[in-house]
Amino acid sequence: LKSLQGVNKEAGFEYVLYRASPGSNDLVVQILYVKPNSPASSAGLQRGDLISRINNQTLTVDNYRDILAEMSEPFTILYK
């Protein structure tokens, strides 16, 4: 219902997770698709971009579920 009223809390991109390097516990998000007219599009994200931090937190194998769950609320990202 909220979506029909123009209220949308998704980030506007699809992604896949990778380890930052072999054997590392740090993860990176690679953008697969950016939805047109989305917050991700407005922020300048593009297919292939790598995100290393969300809400000033490095993604790890231990915390990524919690951090990615927060993406339905306002968040900041650091991408390479």
Side-chain angles (χ1 to χ4, degrees):
L1 182 60
K2 292 286 186 188
S3 180
L4 294 174
Q5 296 171 343
V7 177
N8 191 343
K9 287 192 172 186
E10 75 170 300
F13 61 92
E14 295 179 22
Y15 59 89
V16 65
L17 289 168
Y18 294 103
R19 287 188 184 263
S21 61
S24 171
N25 282 336
D26 291 348
L27 302 176
V28 293
V29 172
Q30 183 177 25
I31 304 294
L32 298 177
Y33 176 77
V34 177
K35 296 178 183 177
N37 303 315
S38 68
S41 173
S42 297
L45 292 178
Q46 297 180 351
R47 182 178 183 195
D49 284 346
L50 299 175
I51 298 171
S52 59
R53 297 173 68 85
I54 297 176
N55 289 339
N56 206 29
Q57 296 178 73
T58 300
L59 296 166
T60 68
V61 295
D62 298 319
N63 70 6
Y64 77 94
R65 287 183 186 99
D66 294 331
I67 292 174
L68 294 178
E70 294 173 4
M71 289 193 339
S72 64
E73 300 300 325
F75 62 92
T76 59
I77 60 173
L78 173 66
Y79 66 97
K80 300 176 182 181

